[in-house]
Amino acid sequence: MPIQKEPARRVKPYQIIQAVTGIGCAGYLLYRLYTVLIGSPTYGTETWARFMIAGLILGSVYALIAIGYTLVYGILRMINFAHGDIMMIGAFGGYFTLEAAKSIPAGGSNFSDAYPFAAVLAAFLAGVAIAALSGYFLEKIAYRPLRGAPRLVPLISAIGASIFLENAAQLLFGAQRRDYANPAVLTRGEGWTLVINGAKVILPYTGALTVILSLLLMVALYMLVMRTRLGRAMRAVSENKQVAALMGIDVDGVISQTFIISGALAGAAGVMWGLHLGLVYHFVGFIPGIKAFTAAVLGGIGSVPGAMLGGLFLGLVESLGPAVLGISFQLKDVIAFGILVLVLIFRPTGIVGEALTEEKV
């Protein structure tokens, strides 16, 4: 029997455009890197170190929020666009807790300054608890009744829930921007002094706390998903809800617990955001939420390690990008969302994501 040759694959025009665009972008990026680092350095080593520190701190917050997107998408195959507003609720929970601690007299000062560890711990517990409870009720009210609806319906519900939470926060707390009342030991702008290239570089206490807690929470979540009974149930529900139900798994309970966990992570991110950056208001979660969605897509939507990697990478790119490209730092959002467009064009599955089957899409 004669061997039949496979027909030659034709290169489609859009593939040529993608390849040319990708080569052009990579070439320009390499040229800019050579220019700013070797050819005619614009910044010194100490300035790049400051950019790196700021990017790691910001990226760790993005990563925590991005994990929430990933968890919900892995279970329900939907994007919870109200997730950034859950972060805002957690930030307000921490803010009011620290304000209360500042008003309690203790040891000739106030409770926040006399017992800073207890005050910060209480702020985190309050922010995490309120955000987790908000995530639970969000799923109960806005998403569960639409479980069998077409894919677009819960997406519209998520956008509506986001607008509702923002306006509810504005009515409850006012539209003014509030300043986080950090304990004295966590004063913003203060930290360890590093000497790089003869110049002083500050590693802020609030930044170190943010990075360390974010990494610990990300590792804990990964262990929960991979090593615990709840994690196995979450992975089973993500794979096939009907088969998981036949195996005795409470699908609704797993989905509720997933929203509680994602809300808790967003609440922790909100408190970190307030402690480090200092401002909280009703709209504070919108931009970080969109950036975290970009990070989740960048890392691979549905992949917990991908969300971690995507968040850290996006924070570094947002911090270093304007300096590398020689543009205004006010255009850092353009870089972040430009990366989203490029990822969707060249690698829709993300850095570590996998192509989804038709049943999962």
Side-chain angles (χ1 to χ4, degrees):
M1 183 176 180
I3 298 176
Q4 295 182 353
K5 296 182 179 180
E6 294 184 1
R9 295 182 180 179
R10 294 182 178 179
V11 179
K12 298 179 180 179
Y14 77 88
Q15 293 176 326
I16 298 176
I17 295 175
Q18 284 182 340
V20 173
T21 305
I23 294 172
C25 291
Y28 178 73
L29 181 59
L30 291 174
Y31 166 74
R32 287 298 310 174
L33 285 172
Y34 172 79
T35 301
V36 299
L37 295 177
I38 300 174
S40 55
T42 307
Y43 303 101
T45 308
E46 70 283 356
T47 304
W48 291 108
R50 294 188 185 99
F51 291 155
M52 290 283 291
I53 291 171
L56 285 174
I57 296 170
L58 194 61
S60 62
V61 176
Y62 288 161
L64 270 186
I65 308 173
I67 290 174
Y69 280 109
T70 287
L71 286 176
V72 172
Y73 182 85
I75 297 293
L76 293 179
R77 304 298 166 191
M78 65 160 285
I79 303 298
N80 178 19
F81 279 116
H83 191 60
D85 300 293
I86 298 296
M87 169 205 157
M88 174 266 298
I89 293 174
F92 268 111
Y95 166 80
F96 286 114
T97 302
L98 289 176
E99 286 291 323
K102 281 282 187 181
S103 65
I104 300 174
S109 179
N110 57 71
F111 184 86
S112 180
D113 291 335
Y115 306 100
F117 176 79
V120 172
L121 179 61
F124 270 100
L125 291 177
V128 166
I130 293 173
L133 192 63
S134 300
Y136 172 78
F137 283 111
L138 178 67
E139 189 272 333
K140 283 279 190 181
I141 297 171
Y143 301 143
R144 183 167 295 188
L146 305 174
R147 189 74 56 78
R151 188 70 54 90
L152 186 61
V153 176
L155 181 64
I156 296 174
S157 179
I159 297 173
S162 174
I163 297 173
F164 169 80
L165 291 174
E166 290 168 3
N167 284 272
Q170 183 177 5
L171 289 173
L172 288 173
F173 310 130
Q176 69 272 23
R177 300 189 176 199
R178 300 169 183 264
D179 189 19
Y180 248 63
N182 288 15
V185 296
L186 285 178
T187 301
R188 281 180 292 277
E190 294 186 1
W192 297 281
T193 301
L194 308 176
V195 179
I196 299 176
N197 198 25
K200 294 182 179 180
V201 176
I202 301 297
L203 176 60
Y205 298 133
T206 54
L209 176 67
T210 298
V211 173
I212 292 172
L213 282 181
S214 297
L215 292 176
L216 289 176
L217 287 173
M218 287 187 280
V219 171
L221 177 70
Y222 184 76
M223 297 300 292
L224 182 147
V225 172
M226 302 304 297
R227 300 293 179 87
T228 66
R229 185 176 181 180
L230 174 60
R232 289 192 294 270
M234 291 169 66
R235 285 182 279 131
V237 172
S238 174
E239 189 68 28
N240 193 306
K241 295 182 181 61
Q242 289 75 24
V243 174
L246 292 174
M247 297 298 291
I249 296 175
D250 181 6
V251 175
D252 288 339
V254 170
I255 292 174
S256 292
Q257 291 177 75
T258 301
F259 272 86
I260 290 173
I261 293 171
S262 67
L265 293 175
V271 177
M272 293 175 191
W273 184 277
L275 288 173
H276 182 65
L277 296 179
L279 291 178
V280 59
Y281 56 106
H282 67 285
F283 208 60
V284 72
F286 179 75
I287 295 298
I290 298 298
K291 297 281 186 66
F293 169 67
T294 302
V297 174
L298 175 63
I301 191 72
S303 169
V304 172
M308 301 177 189
L309 181 62
L312 293 172
F313 179 78
L314 183 64
L316 288 171
V317 168
E318 189 174 320
S319 180
L320 298 170
V324 171
L325 297 177
I327 61 177
S328 171
F329 282 87
Q330 295 180 351
L331 298 177
K332 57 184 177 62
D333 292 345
V334 175
I335 297 175
F337 298 127
I339 289 176
L340 175 61
V341 173
L342 292 175
V343 169
L344 291 175
I345 292 174
F346 294 104
R347 189 174 174 80
T349 58
I351 298 174
V352 298
E354 61 180 7
L356 299 176
T357 59
E358 186 176 350
E359 291 80 3
K360 289 186 177 183
V361 172

